[in-house]
Amino acid sequence: MIYSEHLPVTNADGVEEFLRRFERNGMMVIPTDTGRSALVLALRTLVRKGCSGTAWIPAYACPSLPPVFRNEGMRLHRYGTASDFRPIFPNPGPAKEDIVFVIHYFGFSNHRVLGWIRSIPPERRPFLIEDCAGSSLTESIGFDADFSFFSFRKFFEVADGAALVSRFPVQPELNPADSRLAEKRDNAFGFMRAGAFETGLCSLKDAEAELDRALPLLPRSPSFKSWEELKKMPFRSEALHRREAGRLLLESITASFSLNRRIQPLLSSIPDDAAPLVLPVAVRTNRDHLSALFWEKGLNCPSLWDLNPSLRFSFPSDYDLGRRTLGLPLPRREEMNELNVILDCLKIFST
């Protein structure tokens, strides 16, 4: 399943129609099992193109990212992010042969980082990778860098499924999907659908930990079953639902004086091009208590993110943001009554 030619005509709202937009722009699209596999493919391609071996990544990033770069032999430099997620580089910043990795956070287009990319003179432009994994249903991103990658498994109950988008020809040297890991994730979703939330979430965490240990086996193809399921998924309606649900939740929070004393949304509005994965909020006190309230109701409210303590002094604002931020869950498309459960948890927390 390599999109070096043309994607077949399938469901006009599924994964292949979503990815065909990049093909129409002359880009190459390669399905993978995870975003990490896609990133490995991008890094190996850049090594062949003569990159310096130095990669710049934001200090505020998922802790699963640095091991991928190090496993590929990259030297890592960090850069800071402003409150609006604008990149802040030291002087001197990235060289032309370096790699700069940028992130679209939580289902929102990072307009400030796109503005920075578009402002770079061609003669000084480093190699650029856009992380669209947490914003994989957002249609306005993925076109500006040399590579972008998506992780659809974050948005749908599928065992795996991601993709790399490249401006360069890529040697798609992919290992087969890990059927055992895919089965473990499928079983976890089954537990959660049956109401055994804790068992399912623990199984999902075990699968993610196993993926972290499997870096030498990446990159891998997606499983056939997952990709066939993604072909049928309603990408546009899912994005619309998440946008509307996020707006309802955001309005409820901003209308509550007691909640505003305890939590602060990182974004003041949800733009028309957004497809939120979660609603990110900074919790002023008792972040773990709020997360536990959701857990008791069978909802996951993840931290975003607990960063390496070594960043505490070099990037204090990024480190502090990671210690305070949670991703509020959004109600599933078929169960909008979950919004009341979410609001009840927030009401208990605010009292």
Side-chain angles (χ1 to χ4, degrees):
M1 297 189 302
I2 300 168
Y3 294 98
S4 55
E5 297 299 331
H6 294 286
L7 292 166
V9 176
T10 55
N11 173 26
D13 197 24
V15 65
E16 292 185 337
E17 179 59 27
F18 182 89
L19 293 170
R20 191 176 288 109
R21 300 168 305 124
F22 300 104
E23 186 185 64
R24 294 189 189 111
N25 278 269
M27 305 167 90
M28 185 175 183
V29 181
I30 302 172
T32 63
D33 65 334
T34 62
R36 273 169 274 195
S37 281
L39 177 55
V40 168
L41 272 180
L43 294 176
R44 291 180 182 177
T45 301
L46 290 176
V47 168
R48 296 187 185 104
K49 291 189 69 66
C51 74
S52 67
T54 294
W56 296 74
I57 68 172
Y60 187 59
C62 178
S64 67
L65 281 171
V68 180
F69 286 88
R70 294 191 181 103
N71 192 68
E72 294 303 311
M74 296 287 164
R75 298 180 297 275
L76 281 184
H77 290 310
R78 305 271 187 167
Y79 65 88
T81 49
S83 58
D84 58 358
F85 297 111
R86 173 176 48 86
I88 303 174
F89 293 97
N91 188 18
K96 181 176 173 61
E97 295 79 17
D98 291 351
I99 299 167
V100 175
F101 183 87
V102 299
I103 300 176
H104 297 280
Y105 294 98
F106 317 130
F108 299 84
S109 172
N110 190 340
H111 295 289
R112 297 306 299 267
V113 84
L114 290 178
W116 172 77
I117 290 174
R118 293 163 185 167
S119 71
I120 305 172
E123 66 275 9
R124 290 171 43 204
R125 178 181 165 117
F127 294 112
L128 295 164
I129 301 175
E130 281 183 70
D131 179 352
C132 306
S135 301
S136 289
L137 302 186
T138 303
E139 294 192 5
S140 60
I141 60 177
F143 296 93
D144 289 88
D146 301 304
F147 298 92
S148 61
F149 64 89
F150 298 80
S151 184
F152 308 114
R153 72 191 186 104
K154 292 181 180 292
F155 287 82
F156 298 105
E157 288 189 358
V158 292
D160 54 30
L164 174 69
V165 175
S166 174
R167 292 191 180 279
F168 307 124
V170 176
Q171 295 181 24
E173 299 166 345
L174 297 170
N175 293 318
D178 186 334
S179 58
R180 187 176 57 84
L181 188 60
E183 183 179 3
K184 181 177 287 189
R185 283 179 56 85
D186 271 337
N187 290 339
F189 292 131
F191 285 129
M192 296 173 79
R193 284 192 293 269
F197 171 77
E198 186 169 353
T199 301
L201 188 58
C202 288
S203 184
L204 281 177
K205 288 183 176 179
D206 287 344
E208 288 302 306
E210 192 169 329
L211 180 60
D212 290 338
R213 295 189 294 269
L215 283 178
L217 303 176
L218 303 182
R220 292 190 291 223
S221 298
S223 62
F224 177 79
K225 177 184 176 183
S226 292
W227 201 255
E228 288 300 306
E229 290 176 356
L230 284 170
K231 289 179 183 178
K232 303 170 187 175
M233 292 296 179
F235 272 52
R236 291 190 177 92
S237 59
E238 180 67 21
L240 177 61
H241 163 76
R242 288 179 171 274
R243 188 156 54 245
E244 293 177 344
R247 285 170 175 166
L248 287 172
L249 184 55
L250 181 61
E251 288 171 5
S252 298
I253 293 171
T254 55
S256 169
F257 174 76
S258 57
L259 268 179
N260 279 313
R261 290 189 294 113
R262 304 293 298 277
I263 64 176
Q264 178 184 2
L266 296 193
L267 299 152
S268 60
S269 65
I270 297 181
D272 289 340
D273 66 341
L277 177 61
V278 292
L279 185 66
V281 297
V283 185
R284 292 186 170 91
T285 58
N286 296 323
R287 184 182 72 163
D288 291 343
H289 174 55
L290 178 56
S291 185
L293 287 173
F294 282 102
W295 180 278
E296 291 170 3
K297 297 295 184 181
L299 295 168
N300 188 24
C301 185
S303 61
L304 303 171
W305 297 279
D306 291 324
L307 303 182
N308 191 313
S310 65
L311 301 175
R312 182 174 185 174
F313 300 107
S314 51
F315 295 96
S317 60
D318 298 88
Y319 181 77
D320 183 59
L321 182 61
R323 286 175 57 84
R324 294 186 296 116
T325 305
L326 284 178
L328 298 184
L330 298 176
R332 287 171 289 185
R333 185 160 45 92
E334 65 278 12
E335 294 191 21
M336 276 299 288
N337 61 315
E338 283 186 356
L339 181 61
N340 292 327
V341 177
I342 294 168
L343 293 174
D344 285 344
C345 291
L346 292 173
K347 183 177 180 181
I348 294 170
F349 180 71
S350 68
T351 57

